[in-house]
Amino acid sequence: MIEKPISEWTNEEKNKANLDNVARDIIYKTLDKNMFSKIKTCTTAKEIWEKLMQMCEENDLTKENKLTLAIQKFESIKLKLGETMNEFDERFSSIITEMNALGKSYSNR
């Protein structure tokens, strides 16, 4: 598709382009350098938004998978042959810390 020159744009097309520029500017100002580098190739605010949504969904899915693995570790933890109680406690505490960081916690019971 060939874009027509800006000089041939209608008022409606100019307004849409301006709104897109404003939206992109707002999004750019809210992103850190790491996130900006992931969306800098997007050409419209809509593309940027869709890319950000995709990245967030992947983060949620990744978090859910990590939590599932941590819960499996928690439910199947056993003292290993030759392992001291201190080593077991460190392993157990590590799993609990990981689960807490992912939003899952258990009471002391």
Side-chain angles (χ1 to χ4, degrees):
M1 185 168 82
I2 300 173
E3 289 187 29
K4 61 181 167 179
I6 294 176
S7 60
E8 295 179 14
W9 284 9
T10 65
N11 283 338
E12 183 179 346
E13 290 170 327
K14 289 177 185 176
N15 286 337
K16 283 183 181 181
N18 184 48
L19 288 174
D20 188 71
N21 288 337
V22 170
R24 281 186 296 145
D25 187 54
I26 291 169
I27 294 171
Y28 291 158
K29 288 179 179 177
T30 62
L31 298 176
D32 61 21
K33 289 179 183 180
N34 182 39
M35 291 295 280
F36 178 77
S37 68
K38 294 177 182 179
I39 57 95
K40 67 183 176 185
T41 58
C42 298
T43 56
T44 66
K46 185 175 191 250
E47 283 180 49
I48 294 169
W49 187 255
E50 288 171 351
K51 180 84 170 185
L52 291 171
M53 293 297 291
Q54 179 186 10
M55 289 181 338
C56 290
E57 287 172 1
E58 288 172 0
N59 287 342
D60 288 344
L61 183 58
T62 301
K63 181 180 174 182
E64 189 176 317
N65 288 338
K66 286 180 179 180
L67 181 57
T68 300
L69 289 173
I71 290 171
Q72 288 174 350
K73 286 182 200 175
F74 174 80
E75 292 175 348
S76 66
I77 194 165
K78 293 181 182 173
L79 187 66
K80 294 179 180 177
L81 188 61
E83 184 177 38
T84 66
M85 284 304 292
N86 283 338
E87 293 168 336
F88 175 80
D89 184 55
E90 285 178 25
R91 233 173 11 103
F92 183 75
S93 295
S94 174
I95 294 169
I96 296 299
T97 301
E98 182 181 358
M99 289 172 46
N100 284 335
L102 295 168
K104 177 73 173 172
S105 62
Y106 288 99
S107 69
N108 287 338
R109 288 185 162 195

